[in-house]
Amino acid sequence: MDDRNFDQQTAQDWINVVEKPGKSWRDEHVYSKLDSLIHDALPKTILDVGCGQGICSEKIDLTKCKYTGVEPSPYLLNRAKQLYSSGEKTFLSGNAYDLPVTNRSFDAAFSILVWHLLIDIEKAAFEISRVLADNGKFLIVTANPDAYLAWKSFYPDAKLTGKRLEGTMPLGEALSRDVLYLHTFNEIISSIQNVGLTIESTDTFLPAKDFLELNLLISIQGRKNARG
């Protein structure tokens, strides 16, 4: 899966993993960060960029907030609509480069495990900035650039072309084609700051199994600068 390819088999593999019964690392490490975002920002509207099959809309507190999820894969989008559509939850077809929503229409936005699939992260950051209201909050969770050595170990047949690492990796009980763009930490930070967003905190988490000194993921939180 990447910014150009969301095939049916990969989508089904992802559905099987996410919908597996019981708690997963996402409950402790990801959904808790999303709830903190909501409790801090108190948004009336929140956007999920790359919502997949919609699991975040079920796992976080949306009692006072309208949720919109945007997803390019028709297979994942259909699953999200099937499972989670309601009056307060809307799922739209679109991608991180061209969000199908109006300017300054969200009080908060987040994107989970999408950024490392994108070649043009500044264009994606611009879209988040465009749709956020002034002082709107954002959260991005992506691959930690300092842990690329650990990430590469997941791809036994990896092929590296420039910054694009492509191969198959275990996804649940299946082997799925996957892509990882090796953006540096400075490139990620600059892409966000260059579009009128202020970074307030970063945090690495989720220790790699065979690289215990490395955390696989990084979260980046901040807000959109108010217009003068």
Side-chain angles (χ1 to χ4, degrees):
M1 186 191 304
D2 65 8
D3 56 345
R4 296 194 300 274
N5 189 326
F6 294 80
D7 62 88
Q8 185 173 9
Q9 185 58 58
T10 301
Q12 187 59 57
D13 292 341
W14 180 253
I15 288 170
N16 293 342
V17 169
V18 172
E19 295 182 15
K20 189 175 180 179
K23 287 192 174 184
S24 73
W25 59 268
R26 298 177 190 84
D27 290 273
E28 177 182 358
H29 293 288
V30 173
Y31 306 139
S32 59
K33 291 183 184 297
L34 291 176
D35 271 327
S36 294
L37 172 70
I38 291 172
H39 294 152
D40 182 33
L42 299 176
K44 294 181 180 179
T45 53
I46 191 166
L47 177 68
D48 182 355
V49 179
C51 67
Q53 51 80 261
I55 188 67
C56 288
S57 73
E58 179 71 7
K59 294 288 188 175
I60 57 179
D61 182 7
L62 297 173
T63 54
K64 297 181 181 180
C65 180
K66 290 187 177 181
Y67 165 100
T68 299
V70 174
E71 171 58 43
S73 165
Y75 314 108
L76 292 175
L77 185 66
N78 287 339
R79 186 61 172 169
K81 290 179 177 179
Q82 176 188 7
L83 293 178
Y84 305 120
S85 281
S86 70
E88 301 302 311
K89 299 177 184 178
T90 302
F91 296 94
L92 303 175
S93 176
N95 62 57
Y97 300 142
D98 187 17
L99 297 172
V101 293
T102 57
N103 295 354
R104 299 185 292 278
S105 53
F106 290 91
D107 303 317
F110 64 90
S111 187
I112 307 299
L113 302 181
V114 172
W115 237 241
H116 58 264
L117 304 176
L118 305 175
I119 188 172
D120 192 344
I121 53 178
E122 185 157 331
K123 187 174 183 180
F126 171 83
E127 278 294 279
I128 284 185
S129 181
R130 177 181 69 81
V131 304
L132 276 178
D134 290 350
N135 293 312
K137 296 252 183 174
F138 70 89
L139 168 68
I140 295 169
V141 172
T142 188
N144 177 15
D146 290 335
Y148 284 153
L149 178 64
W151 279 92
K152 289 177 182 179
S153 70
F154 298 148
Y155 302 80
D157 59 347
K159 176 184 177 182
L160 182 61
T161 305
K163 292 183 178 180
R164 178 186 172 98
L165 183 73
E166 182 175 8
T168 55
M169 70 178 299
L171 189 60
E173 298 178 356
L175 281 175
S176 289
R177 174 186 170 273
D178 201 17
V179 166
L180 172 68
Y181 283 99
L182 305 179
H183 303 296
T184 68
F185 177 80
N186 286 339
E187 287 171 342
I188 295 171
I189 297 303
S190 294
S191 71
I192 294 169
Q193 293 174 332
N194 289 344
V195 297
L197 300 174
T198 294
I199 295 171
E200 297 178 326
S201 66
T202 63
D203 178 47
T204 62
F205 61 99
L206 193 63
K209 182 177 180 181
D210 297 322
F211 300 82
L212 296 182
E213 73 282 7
L214 298 177
N215 287 323
L216 289 172
L217 299 177
I218 186 170
S219 66
I220 305 167
Q221 300 184 66
R223 67 173 66 240
K224 179 179 177 179
N225 300 333
R227 293 173 292 175

